[in-house]
Every structure is written in C-alpha cells, then in structure tokens.
Amino acid sequence: MAKLAVPLLILLFFPSFISSQAPLPLQTAIQKDRSTSQYVITAYLQTPLKLTKLLLDLGSTFTWVNCDDYTSSTYQHVPCNSSIASLLGPYACLNLCDGPPSPNCGNNSFLFLADNPIKPVDYRKVNGLNTALIDPFALPNAQGSLTLINNFIFSCARTGFLKGLAKGITGLAALGRSNISIPIQINKVFPSTPNCFAICLSGSNSQPGVALFGSKGPYNFLPGIDLSKSLIYTPLLLNPLGKDSDVDKPIPSSEYYIGLTSIKVNEKMVALNNSLLAINGEKGSGGTTISTVVPYTKLQSSIYKAFILAFLKEAASSAFNLTTTKPVKPFGVCYPASAVKNTQMGPAVPIIDLVLDRQDVVWKIFGSNSMVRITKKSVDLWCLGFLDAGANPMVSIWVGGPSIVIGGYQLEDNMLQFDLQSKKLGFSSSILSKGTDCAKFKFPTKKV
Ligand SMILES: *[C@@H]1O[C@H](CO)[C@@H](O)[C@H](O)[C@H]1NC(C)=O
Ligand SMILES: *[C@@H]1O[C@H](CO)[C@@H](O)[C@H](O)[C@H]1NC(C)=O
Ligand SMILES: *[C@@H]1O[C@H](CO)[C@@H](O)[C@H](O)[C@H]1NC(C)=O
Ligand SMILES: *[C@@H]1O[C@H](CO)[C@@H](O)[C@H](O)[C@H]1NC(C)=O
Ligand SMILES: *[C@@H]1O[C@H](CO)[C@@H](O)[C@H](O)[C@H]1NC(C)=O
C-alpha cells in the first residue's frame, strides 16, 4: 500500500496539470431499477478501472463504495492530521488498525460516518465509521472515452450498507451540496469548465437517461433538440440546519431546496399554510427539496390533504369526468385506466403547477409525471403519484424535514440543470411536449 507523505498528497489533491484537453462534458447513463425505483449511475473506479454501479443521490455529501470488495493498486488513505482531512470536516480518526493493510484498514486514517438514504444503516450490526480513500474515478466523455479524476475522495463502506439497494449497486454517488460531491471534484480538476451538472431521468425501465457534468449545454437529444434552450430558472436555496447538525453546531443541509410558493391544480390555487412552504432556519423544517432517492413526491399532511381535495374536485369536473375507485397502496387516489384518455403528455388529468419564486416561474406537472399506472391481476388503474409525508417530517431526532420532497417519478423526462456557480436550478417541465424524452440523449457511438 502506498504510504505517501502529506506534502505529496497535497500535490495530488490539486492536480491542476492534468491534461486539460480532456473533453467535457462528462456524461454517463442513469438507469432506473425496475423493482426498487432507484436511479443507478454508471461510473468507473479503482486501478485498473472497474465499472461501478452507484445509487444516484442528490442529497448526499460524499460518495461511498463497498470496500469489502475493493481491490486497487493505487488507493491511499487520508492521514488524519493532513490538510485534506481538515477539508473533509470533523469526523473520526482510525489511529491504529490491527489487521493487514487494506482499503478498510490503515493506521492514522481519516474516517467518514456513512449512511444509506434508502435503508438507514444499523450501526449495532455494521461498522459505520469507514476510512476515507483517494483513488481514480472516471466517467465517459463526449468522445466516448473515459476522463480520469485521479485523486477522487470518497468513503469506504461495508457489505451491510448495501441493504435495500438494487441488485448490482455497490455504493452511492453523491451529487449533494458539499465540497466533495462528484460535480465539485470534477470542477476542481477542470476549473475552467462550468461548475454545473444536469440530469435527465428516464421513465423507461429499459432505456437509460443521462447525467452531464461540466456543461451548461448544448444538451442534444434526438431528433435534434437542444434542451439547454428550454430551461427556466429558479434560485437554489440553502437550509442552514441540516440533518448532520449538532445541538450546538448547525451544519447546512446537503439537499437542494427551491422556493415553491404555491401549488395550482387545473389553474386553481390550492390553499396552503405558507409558513410550511418557507424554510425555517431555526428548526430545519419546511421548504421544498428535490430527491432522486424518494420515488414519489411527498407532501406534509396538511399540504397533502388540501392538494388531494383540489385534485379530486378538478378531476371530477366535466372536463375530465373522473370517478375514483379503490386505491392501491401506497397511493391514495386511483382511477380506472379505462376512464382516462391518453395524450402525448400521458393520461389526461388536471395539470399541476408548482409556482416557484415568481408567478411566471412554473414547473408544470402533466399526467405523465403525476399518474402512475398500476396493472395487477384484476386491476388496471392510474394512481396519483403523491404521498403523505406525515404531519411533522423529521430528518434527525431533532431536525425538521422539508414540507415537500419532489420525488423521482415527478422528475422523469424533465431536464434539470444544477448551476452550482450561480446557485440556480434550470428546469424544463416535461420534455415530452418537445417531442423527445430522457432516453433520447445522443451518446457517442463509440462505447467505453
Ligand atoms: C501527523 O501525525 C503524525 C503521527 O501522530 C505525526 O508524525 C505527523 O508529524 C503529523 N503531521 C502533521 C502535518 O501534523
Ligand atoms: C468542506 O466542508 C467541510 C464540512 O462541511 C468544512 O469543514 C470545510 O471547511 C469545507 N472546506 C472548504 C474548503 O470549503
Ligand atoms: C499499524 O501500526 C502498527 C504498529 O506500528 C502495526 O503493527 C500495524 O501493522 C499497522 N497497521 C497497518 C494496517 O498498517
Ligand atoms: C402553519 O404551519 C405552522 C408551522 O408548522 C404552524 O405553526 C401553524 O399552526 C400552521 N397554521 C395553521 C393555520 O394551520
Ligand atoms: C361522466 O361519466 C359517467 C360515468 O362514468 C357518465 O355516465 C356520464 O355521461 C359522463 N358525463 C360526461 C359529461 O361525459
């Protein structure tokens, strides 16, 4: 195992002399796993580089990988008192490791406290404190070859961390608000490219969507559509009190918040408690986040109830003439599929408007993103894909959670651009209206 002195590590961490002709954007497939509704990103790690499937998470600060199954000729630990460790924040230190040197075992190694956003890790059964590693990470570029991020920082984890994750996933890809997220580490290596990433989640179980790093466009989709021209923008907001906060030390949330100010159904305003829509910086509660690890949008109970009532009323009106039928869990509102007309934008149901920072900045949700088709033995339904988050959502024992989490299903076939430089979100609403979808991204013909 390489045991490098601290000054050398510092040089390695700022590899400003890596060939800058490497073409950005980096672009990689996002595949939806059918049985779990998880979104899986393809990356490459280790030496020699190995294809690695990771859970895409817009809310995590650092990437982790199962090190019980990790062999690489280049990995290094992060010495606890090094300047890199001080950048990583105040976690723990493994002073002495008894076993033979391995990715999971090294003396004087900085430790992350990792977790699984789908199924919280039971730390009584699995060691949650895991060593930080530095090793090559790579993603495909626009030419179809791999671009290397040589000194990528991530955390080890154990096999027990993979519970609840789709088959084949061996870790988590962190795209959250942090200084060691994947987009930020890419930007540190290519500082002259836009500090920006974009995702387009495909609703198809077979055809992947795409994640793009280091480009504000063009985002080329068949048949010849540049979706970067279809974006409207709203500020990305910060919640100063995130789930990792201590009682005496607030740590900002790693989730991306947007300023939702009202919801309309079929152009009619839903009456909501406005104080729930704002971020409460003292409690960490309230506000609206975007999540790829929550399959369906979750609404705080009072918002959910008002929203459902408005939707039922509009769906029953003569324009739609829809009568509910017995719902199928986890959904609360379902209609017989035979009663619902189909359109280019999915089933014909009332359109939902998420009104953001201004009245004219509206994220439109059509049937293709609001309704979920449930076909089972004896039923064929369209169900409203919004769920009740409970009266008092929490993200830790004492830190409140967002009132609204916009979930993966509502993001599918929408282009989302996270501009980390200007701290704004570019969004397209459904791109079905443009005659394309997220599976129609033009990947280079050359395969990695
Ligand atoms: C880090 O700690 C080790 C062992 O405790 C010590 O030998 C080394 O000098 C320290 N390095 C720095 C940069 O403080
Ligand atoms: C990176 O984030 C950590 C944890 O939030 C913080 O302690 C550290 O100061 C940050 N480093 C930089 C360079 O911003
Ligand atoms: C850690 O240091 C101890 C004492 O110097 C040594 O016996 C042990 O092999 C070292 N462990 C690793 C993983 O290098
Ligand atoms: C609105 O929400 C806030 C925050 O949860 C709560 O304190 C208040 O009682 C609510 N107001 C109404 C009218 O329900
Ligand atoms: C509405 O649907 C009901 C049965 O579902 C039908 O009897 C009625 O004629 C429909 N009304 C209109 C205006 O389409």
Side-chain angles (χ1 to χ4, degrees), residues 1 3 77 94-102 104-109:
M1 179 183 61
K3 275 226 175 152
H77 291 121
L94 177 60
N95 289 319
L96 203 65
C97 185
D98 273 344
S102 75
N104 269 326
C105 180
N107 288 335
N108 182 27
S109 294

mmCIF file of all heavy atoms in Angstrom, residues 1 3 77 94-102 104-109, ligand 3:
data_model
loop_
_atom_site.group_PDB
_atom_site.id
_atom_site.type_symbol
_atom_site.label_atom_id
_atom_site.label_comp_id
_atom_site.label_asym_id
_atom_site.label_seq_id
_atom_site.Cartn_x
_atom_site.Cartn_y
_atom_site.Cartn_z
ATOM 1 N N MET A 1 0.840 -1.198 0.000
ATOM 2 C CA MET A 1 0.000 0.000 0.000
ATOM 3 C C MET A 1 0.876 1.250 0.000
ATOM 4 O O MET A 1 1.848 1.346 0.739
ATOM 5 C CB MET A 1 -0.891 0.002 1.235
ATOM 6 C CG MET A 1 -1.768 1.216 1.307
ATOM 7 S SD MET A 1 -2.758 1.249 2.800
ATOM 8 C CE MET A 1 -1.531 1.292 4.060
ATOM 9 N N LYS A 3 2.147 4.594 1.073
ATOM 10 C CA LYS A 3 2.018 5.482 2.235
ATOM 11 C C LYS A 3 2.757 6.756 1.906
ATOM 12 O O LYS A 3 3.972 6.844 2.040
ATOM 13 C CB LYS A 3 2.622 4.802 3.470
ATOM 14 C CG LYS A 3 1.651 3.884 4.163
ATOM 15 C CD LYS A 3 1.674 4.118 5.662
ATOM 16 C CE LYS A 3 0.628 3.290 6.346
ATOM 17 N NZ LYS A 3 1.023 2.976 7.724
ATOM 18 N N HIS A 77 -5.040 6.008 1.886
ATOM 19 C CA HIS A 77 -5.864 6.559 2.962
ATOM 20 C C HIS A 77 -5.556 8.037 3.128
ATOM 21 O O HIS A 77 -4.579 8.532 2.576
ATOM 22 C CB HIS A 77 -5.601 5.799 4.267
ATOM 23 C CG HIS A 77 -6.108 4.391 4.220
ATOM 24 N ND1 HIS A 77 -5.294 3.292 4.398
ATOM 25 C CD2 HIS A 77 -7.338 3.907 3.986
ATOM 26 C CE1 HIS A 77 -6.014 2.184 4.273
ATOM 27 N NE2 HIS A 77 -7.261 2.531 4.024
ATOM 28 N N LEU A 94 -9.001 6.747 12.619
ATOM 29 C CA LEU A 94 -8.573 5.391 12.951
ATOM 30 C C LEU A 94 -7.076 5.475 13.216
ATOM 31 O O LEU A 94 -6.282 5.585 12.292
ATOM 32 C CB LEU A 94 -8.875 4.447 11.783
ATOM 33 C CG LEU A 94 -8.445 2.992 11.919
ATOM 34 C CD1 LEU A 94 -9.115 2.324 13.107
ATOM 35 C CD2 LEU A 94 -8.752 2.227 10.641
ATOM 36 N N ASN A 95 -6.699 5.488 14.511
ATOM 37 C CA ASN A 95 -5.284 5.643 14.843
ATOM 38 C C ASN A 95 -4.494 4.397 14.501
ATOM 39 O O ASN A 95 -3.406 4.465 13.951
ATOM 40 C CB ASN A 95 -5.127 5.955 16.332
ATOM 41 C CG ASN A 95 -5.612 7.350 16.647
ATOM 42 O OD1 ASN A 95 -5.353 8.282 15.889
ATOM 43 N ND2 ASN A 95 -6.356 7.484 17.741
ATOM 44 N N LEU A 96 -5.071 3.252 14.866
ATOM 45 C CA LEU A 96 -4.330 2.007 14.772
ATOM 46 C C LEU A 96 -5.264 0.945 14.232
ATOM 47 O O LEU A 96 -6.345 0.735 14.767
ATOM 48 C CB LEU A 96 -3.880 1.626 16.189
ATOM 49 C CG LEU A 96 -2.691 0.701 16.318
ATOM 50 C CD1 LEU A 96 -1.430 1.372 15.793
ATOM 51 C CD2 LEU A 96 -2.517 0.317 17.775
ATOM 52 N N CYS A 97 -4.853 0.291 13.137
ATOM 53 C CA CYS A 97 -5.661 -0.812 12.630
ATOM 54 C C CYS A 97 -4.868 -2.099 12.739
ATOM 55 O O CYS A 97 -3.757 -2.200 12.212
ATOM 56 C CB CYS A 97 -6.077 -0.553 11.183
ATOM 57 S SG CYS A 97 -7.195 -1.818 10.582
ATOM 58 N N ASP A 98 -5.466 -3.053 13.433
ATOM 59 C CA ASP A 98 -4.772 -4.307 13.740
ATOM 60 C C ASP A 98 -4.554 -5.205 12.525
ATOM 61 O O ASP A 98 -3.533 -5.863 12.413
ATOM 62 C CB ASP A 98 -5.585 -5.111 14.769
ATOM 63 C CG ASP A 98 -5.226 -4.685 16.172
ATOM 64 O OD1 ASP A 98 -4.174 -4.030 16.312
ATOM 65 O OD2 ASP A 98 -5.994 -4.993 17.108
ATOM 66 N N GLY A 99 -5.509 -5.242 11.666
ATOM 67 C CA GLY A 99 -5.477 -6.207 10.567
ATOM 68 C C GLY A 99 -4.415 -5.892 9.534
ATOM 69 O O GLY A 99 -3.672 -4.914 9.674
ATOM 70 N N PRO A 100 -4.342 -6.725 8.504
ATOM 71 C CA PRO A 100 -3.426 -6.426 7.403
ATOM 72 C C PRO A 100 -3.914 -5.188 6.659
ATOM 73 O O PRO A 100 -5.122 -4.925 6.621
ATOM 74 C CB PRO A 100 -3.520 -7.678 6.517
ATOM 75 C CG PRO A 100 -4.800 -8.333 6.885
ATOM 76 C CD PRO A 100 -5.099 -7.971 8.300
ATOM 77 N N PRO A 101 -2.992 -4.400 6.111
ATOM 78 C CA PRO A 101 -3.406 -3.193 5.395
ATOM 79 C C PRO A 101 -4.385 -3.531 4.273
ATOM 80 O O PRO A 101 -4.191 -4.499 3.540
ATOM 81 C CB PRO A 101 -2.101 -2.657 4.801
ATOM 82 C CG PRO A 101 -1.013 -3.317 5.557
ATOM 83 C CD PRO A 101 -1.548 -4.626 6.054
ATOM 84 N N SER A 102 -5.464 -2.746 4.175
ATOM 85 C CA SER A 102 -6.464 -2.953 3.118
ATOM 86 C C SER A 102 -7.223 -1.643 2.989
ATOM 87 O O SER A 102 -7.042 -0.744 3.822
ATOM 88 C CB SER A 102 -7.407 -4.095 3.497
ATOM 89 O OG SER A 102 -8.321 -3.646 4.487
ATOM 90 N N ASN A 104 -10.057 -0.938 3.911
ATOM 91 C CA ASN A 104 -10.775 -0.715 5.168
ATOM 92 C C ASN A 104 -9.858 -0.570 6.369
ATOM 93 O O ASN A 104 -10.340 -0.322 7.469
ATOM 94 C CB ASN A 104 -11.709 -1.907 5.434
ATOM 95 C CG ASN A 104 -13.081 -1.686 4.846
ATOM 96 O OD1 ASN A 104 -13.556 -0.561 4.808
ATOM 97 N ND2 ASN A 104 -13.709 -2.761 4.393
ATOM 98 N N CYS A 105 -8.587 -0.773 6.220
ATOM 99 C CA CYS A 105 -7.691 -0.851 7.377
ATOM 100 C C CYS A 105 -6.376 -0.142 7.103
ATOM 101 O O CYS A 105 -5.614 -0.543 6.219
ATOM 102 C CB CYS A 105 -7.455 -2.332 7.698
ATOM 103 S SG CYS A 105 -6.384 -2.609 9.105
ATOM 104 N N GLY A 106 -6.147 0.927 7.839
ATOM 105 C CA GLY A 106 -4.882 1.636 7.743
ATOM 106 C C GLY A 106 -4.678 2.444 9.009
ATOM 107 O O GLY A 106 -5.646 2.875 9.633
ATOM 108 N N ASN A 107 -3.438 2.604 9.429
ATOM 109 C CA ASN A 107 -3.160 3.431 10.607
ATOM 110 C C ASN A 107 -3.332 4.905 10.261
ATOM 111 O O ASN A 107 -3.092 5.315 9.133
ATOM 112 C CB ASN A 107 -1.725 3.190 11.081
ATOM 113 C CG ASN A 107 -1.580 1.817 11.722
ATOM 114 O OD1 ASN A 107 -2.552 1.261 12.227
ATOM 115 N ND2 ASN A 107 -0.362 1.280 11.704
ATOM 116 N N ASN A 108 -3.715 5.695 11.259
ATOM 117 C CA ASN A 108 -3.810 7.147 11.073
ATOM 118 C C ASN A 108 -4.674 7.485 9.852
ATOM 119 O O ASN A 108 -4.254 8.217 8.972
ATOM 120 C CB ASN A 108 -2.391 7.729 10.952
ATOM 121 C CG ASN A 108 -2.412 9.242 10.811
ATOM 122 O OD1 ASN A 108 -3.335 9.918 11.277
ATOM 123 N ND2 ASN A 108 -1.396 9.777 10.156
ATOM 124 N N SER A 109 -5.880 6.906 9.816
ATOM 125 C CA SER A 109 -6.743 7.112 8.651
ATOM 126 C C SER A 109 -7.993 7.894 9.016
ATOM 127 O O SER A 109 -8.709 7.529 9.957
ATOM 128 C CB SER A 109 -7.190 5.764 8.071
ATOM 129 O OG SER A 109 -6.090 5.081 7.547
HETATM 130 C C1 LIG B 3 -0.338 -0.053 12.333
HETATM 131 O O1 LIG B 3 0.757 0.161 13.159
HETATM 132 C C2 LIG B 3 1.063 -0.966 13.998
HETATM 133 C C3 LIG B 3 2.139 -0.541 14.975
HETATM 134 O O2 LIG B 3 3.102 0.234 14.339
HETATM 135 C C4 LIG B 3 1.472 -2.130 13.115
HETATM 136 O O3 LIG B 3 1.718 -3.247 13.885
HETATM 137 C C5 LIG B 3 0.304 -2.443 12.156
HETATM 138 O O4 LIG B 3 0.680 -3.453 11.248
HETATM 139 C C6 LIG B 3 -0.076 -1.199 11.384
HETATM 140 N N1 LIG B 3 -1.307 -1.481 10.622
HETATM 141 C C7 LIG B 3 -1.430 -1.252 9.321
HETATM 142 C C8 LIG B 3 -2.743 -1.609 8.709
HETATM 143 O O5 LIG B 3 -0.539 -0.780 8.629
#
